[in-house]
């Protein structure tokens, strides 16, 4: 039984979905998918800013879990 009040926040399933990955993806797969999608959805490359921000947020959420 846990005695502390700290809870581990799990990423929303949509974080994985945004990157086109399953929940069992490795950090290397997450990073590779992020780079590929960032190039595709970056506003300077013709992508939409809102979609790019969602991609960045999903990547940051998943990256934080690796610590």
């Amino acid at each position: 039984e846990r005695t502390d009040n700290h809870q581990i926040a799990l990423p929303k399933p949509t974080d994985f979905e945004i990157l086109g990955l399953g929940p069992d993806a490795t950090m290397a797969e997450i990073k590779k998918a992020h780079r590929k999608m960032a190039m595709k959805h970056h506003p300077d490359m013709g992508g939409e800013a809102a979609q790019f921000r969602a991609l960045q947020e999903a990547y940051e959420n998943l990256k934080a879990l690796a610590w």
Side-chain angles (χ1 to χ4, degrees), residues 12-24:
K12 298 172 279 186
T14 56
D15 289 339
F16 289 104
E17 292 172 357
I18 288 171
L19 293 171
L21 300 169
D24 58 343

Side-chain angles (χ1 to χ4, degrees), residues 3-16:
T3 58
D4 59 12
N5 291 330
H6 301 288
Q7 294 181 351
I8 298 172
L10 297 177
K12 298 172 279 186
T14 56
D15 289 339
F16 289 104

